[in-house]
Amino acid sequence: MGELTKGWGIVQVSEKPMKILIADDHELFRDGLRHVLEQLDGSVSIVEASDYPQALALAESEPEISIVLLDLSMPGMPWGEGLQSLRQILPADVPVIVLSASDDRRHVLQAVNLGAAGFIPKTSSSRVMLSALKLVLSGGVYLPPALLDQNADGSYSDGSGNGNGNGNGPENAASFLTPRQREVLALLGQGKSNKEIARVLQLAEGTVKLHVTAILKALNVNNRTRAVVAASQLGLTTSEVAPLSR
């Protein structure tokens, strides 16, 4: 929220800069990423860490962090433990986006399971990276397009070892979704935020939140990012979205 500054009958609103934590052990990459982030709309304040202990310390000491960009392969502790620790320290509404030189499907899904709101390969262009950041900041999620393809054998995997052969996969769970919930899930699969889904479907944002909660429960997932993976594996696309009465 902006601060009011009064002077000679004029009230000006000075917006606080968006604070971004970059956690990466390669200084050259941090420098390049800093230049990319300067292209974001509005002022940006950047704090940096080169290992997991520094990242955790900054997460605790720096107020009002807006988003975290985290390299998995940093010194200090195993990446799974580091990501979980960060997620426990940060407020629930502060997204953590994983940056990695690898887009291995297993790593992506494990990061999602541990609370990452997105996964951006380091090979991505600056345009893709900025688009992904804006998407996550608006409440959406971003995952590599390659992840959203079917597995080679057509099966679904959520990174926990549960495929679609036990009857508890998303294909079975999705059969319990209403047509409206399938529409919401299809739009989640496009990475859209609740506000954007509400606009597309002409629903109240509160109604969309209720649908999202029901979808997460039906698919037995605990966050929107895993729901996006499920939506893709179910083959839900924009063609699934058609006008329905409320």
Side-chain angles (χ1 to χ4, degrees), residues 105 109 143-151 154-157 170-171 182 185-191 219 224-237 240:
R105 183 188 301 265
L109 291 172
L143 294 172
L147 172 74
L148 301 181
D149 294 334
Q150 291 284 341
N151 292 335
S155 65
Y156 169 87
S157 174
E171 291 87 347
R182 290 182 69 87
L185 180 57
L187 292 170
L188 278 177
Q190 300 170 37
L219 296 178
R224 296 167 66 94
T225 318
R226 292 184 68 186
V228 168
V229 176
S232 174
Q233 299 291 349
L234 289 168
L236 296 180
T237 64
E240 297 269 346

Side-chain angles (χ1 to χ4, degrees), residues 22 107 142 167 175:
I22 301 176
H107 291 162
Y142 178 83
S175 64

Side-chain angles (χ1 to χ4, degrees), residues 15-59:
E15 294 294 334
K16 292 181 180 179
M18 175 172 56
K19 185 177 290 186
I20 300 176
L21 169 57
I22 301 176
D24 192 288
D25 61 331
H26 293 95
E27 184 176 1
L28 188 61
F29 182 79
R30 294 200 308 271
D31 289 343
L33 187 55
R34 194 184 308 114
H35 289 303
V36 171
L37 295 175
E38 288 172 355
Q39 301 175 47
L40 285 170
D41 299 332
S43 57
V44 174
S45 170
I46 295 175
V47 291
E48 300 181 15
S50 60
D51 57 35
Y52 277 111
Q54 287 182 14
L56 296 175
L58 286 172

Side-chain angles (χ1 to χ4, degrees), residues 56-242:
L56 296 175
L58 286 172
E60 288 185 323
S61 64
E62 288 287 341
E64 300 180 352
I65 290 177
S66 304
I67 192 168
V68 176
L69 304 179
L70 176 70
D71 176 28
L72 289 185
S73 303
M74 285 197 303
M77 63 183 65
W79 71 262
E81 181 182 341
L83 176 55
Q84 280 184 306
S85 299
L86 264 178
R87 194 61 278 166
Q88 290 169 0
I89 293 171
L90 293 166
D93 61 347
V94 176
V96 176
I97 297 183
V98 167
L99 303 173
S100 178
S102 168
D103 59 356
D104 184 281
R105 183 188 301 265
R106 292 168 300 173
H107 291 162
V108 177
L109 291 172
Q110 287 169 7
V112 166
N113 290 338
L114 294 175
F119 193 106
I120 305 177
K122 287 186 175 181
T123 54
S124 302
S125 67
S126 60
R127 179 183 60 82
V128 169
M129 192 166 292
L130 285 172
S131 297
L133 291 176
K134 290 177 181 178
L135 179 63
V136 171
L137 285 168
S138 71
V141 296
Y142 178 83
L143 294 172
L147 172 74
L148 301 181
D149 294 334
Q150 291 284 341
N151 292 335
D153 62 356
S155 65
Y156 169 87
S157 174
D158 63 2
S160 62
N162 295 326
N164 59 5
N166 59 5
N168 295 319
E171 291 87 347
N172 183 61
S175 64
F176 297 99
L177 297 178
T178 67
R180 177 60 87 190
Q181 287 167 352
R182 290 182 69 87
E183 287 186 318
V184 172
L185 180 57
L187 292 170
L188 278 177
Q190 300 170 37
K192 293 189 181 299
S193 65
N194 287 349
K195 184 177 294 185
E196 291 171 323
I197 294 173
R199 185 172 63 249
V200 171
L201 298 180
Q202 299 182 335
L203 296 173
E205 190 171 349
T207 302
V208 173
K209 290 180 181 178
L210 292 174
H211 283 315
V212 171
T213 300
I215 290 167
L216 296 182
K217 184 175 181 180
L219 296 178
N220 195 29
V221 296
N222 57 9
N223 58 54
R224 296 167 66 94
T225 318
R226 292 184 68 186
V228 168
V229 176
S232 174
Q233 299 291 349
L234 289 168
L236 296 180
T237 64
T238 53
S239 63
E240 297 269 346
V241 182

